[in-house]
C-alpha cells in the first residue's frame, strides 16, 4: 500500500477480526500502593487498594501489620507490641452539591481493639459557602475494665472560602 504524509493508508479490519486501539484505558493513577512508617509511636507497613473508582464514588482499603511502641497514642491499642491495622475510606457524591465521606480505622493488639469511625456530609450552599457536619465514634474494647467504651463527638460548621 502506498503511503504519504498527505494520504495515509486507512486499514479496515476484516469481519471477525478484533479492532485494535478501541475500548482500552488505563487509570490516571495507581490503584494499589504500599506504605511504611516509623515514628516514636510505632513502626509498620501497609498494602492498599482503590477498590472502586467512579466519577461519583471512591473506595480505598488499606491493611497491614505494625508494632506499637507507645500505648493509646494516635488512637491506638492499650499495650505495646504487635498489632494489625486497617483503614477504609469512602467518598460518595450526593447530587450536584453534596458529598458523603466516611473513614473507618481499626487497630487490634493483644489486649484490645480500637475502632474509629468518622462520617461527614458537606453541602455546597453557594459557590463560596459550605455546610459541613461530622460525626465521629471511637470504641475501645479494653476501657471500663474490659466492658468497652464508645465515645461520640459531632460538629456542624459553616465554611466560607475566600
Amino acid at each position: 500500500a502506498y503511503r504519504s504524509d498527505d494520504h495515509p493508508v486507512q486499514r479496515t479490519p476484516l469481519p471477525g477480526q478484533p479492532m485494535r486501539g478501541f475500548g482500552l484505558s488505563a487509570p490516571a493513577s495507581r490503584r494499589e500502593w504500599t506504605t511504611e512508617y516509623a515514628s516514636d509511636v510505632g513502626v509498620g507497613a501497609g498494602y492498599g487498594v482503590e477498590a472502586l473508582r467512579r466519577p461519583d464514588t471512591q473506595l480505598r482499603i488499606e491493611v497491614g501489620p505494625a508494632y506499637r511502641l507507645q500505648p493509646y497514642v494516635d488512637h491506638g491499642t492499650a499495650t505495646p507490641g504487635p498489632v494489625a491495622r486497617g483503614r477504609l475510606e469512602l467518598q460518595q457524591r450526593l447530587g450536584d452539591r453534596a458529598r458523603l465521606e466516611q473513614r473507618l480505622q481499626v487497630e487490634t493488639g493483644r489486649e484490645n481493639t480500637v475502632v474509629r469511625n468518622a462520617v461527614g456530609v458537606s453541602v455546597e450552599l453557594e459557590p463560596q459557602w459550605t455546610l459541613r457536619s461530622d460525626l465521629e465514634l471511637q470504641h475501645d474494647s479494653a476501657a471500663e475494665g474490659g466492658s468497652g467504651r464508645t465515645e461520640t463527638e459531632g460538629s456542624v460548621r459553616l465554611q466560607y472560602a475566600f
Side-chain angles (χ1 to χ4, degrees), residues 33 49-52 57-62 86-92 100-105 118:
W33 62 90
V49 63
E50 189 170 30
L52 183 62
T57 308
Q58 291 86 37
L59 176 64
R60 298 169 55 119
I61 302 167
E62 187 173 330
R87 183 174 67 188
L88 179 134
E89 293 179 1
L90 171 68
Q91 293 183 359
Q92 174 69 51
L100 171 74
E101 297 176 5
Q102 181 172 8
R103 292 178 313 279
L104 174 68
Q105 296 175 328

Side-chain angles (χ1 to χ4, degrees), residues 84-161:
R85 301 181 85 178
R87 183 174 67 188
L88 179 134
E89 293 179 1
L90 171 68
Q91 293 183 359
Q92 174 69 51
R93 181 165 290 289
L94 305 171
D96 293 336
R97 296 179 167 228
R99 186 177 69 219
L100 171 74
E101 297 176 5
Q102 181 172 8
R103 292 178 313 279
L104 174 68
Q105 296 175 328
V106 178
E107 180 173 306
T108 187
R110 292 179 291 200
E111 300 289 327
N112 70 325
T113 299
V114 176
V115 178
R116 185 176 178 206
N117 189 17
V119 178
V121 176
S122 297
V123 178
E124 183 182 307
L125 303 174
E126 293 290 328
Q128 295 174 320
W129 291 93
T130 302
L131 182 63
R132 170 104 181 151
S133 63
D134 293 301
L135 177 64
E136 183 176 324
L137 299 131
Q138 183 169 330
H139 179 76
D140 181 358
S141 65
E144 304 294 334
S147 63
R149 178 180 68 227
T150 302
E151 296 176 354
T152 307
E153 182 179 318
S155 66
V156 176
R157 296 185 312 244
L158 182 62
Q159 297 174 326
Y160 179 79

Side-chain angles (χ1 to χ4, degrees), residues 37-79:
Y37 70 92
S39 69
D40 57 344
V41 174
V43 296
Y47 171 77
V49 63
E50 189 170 30
L52 183 62
R53 182 193 308 169
R54 294 191 178 150
D56 292 337
T57 308
Q58 291 86 37
L59 176 64
R60 298 169 55 119
I61 302 167
E62 187 173 330
V63 296
Y67 191 89
R68 177 158 290 283
L69 300 172
Q70 295 183 18
Y72 282 125
V73 178
D74 192 29
H75 306 286
T77 58
T79 58

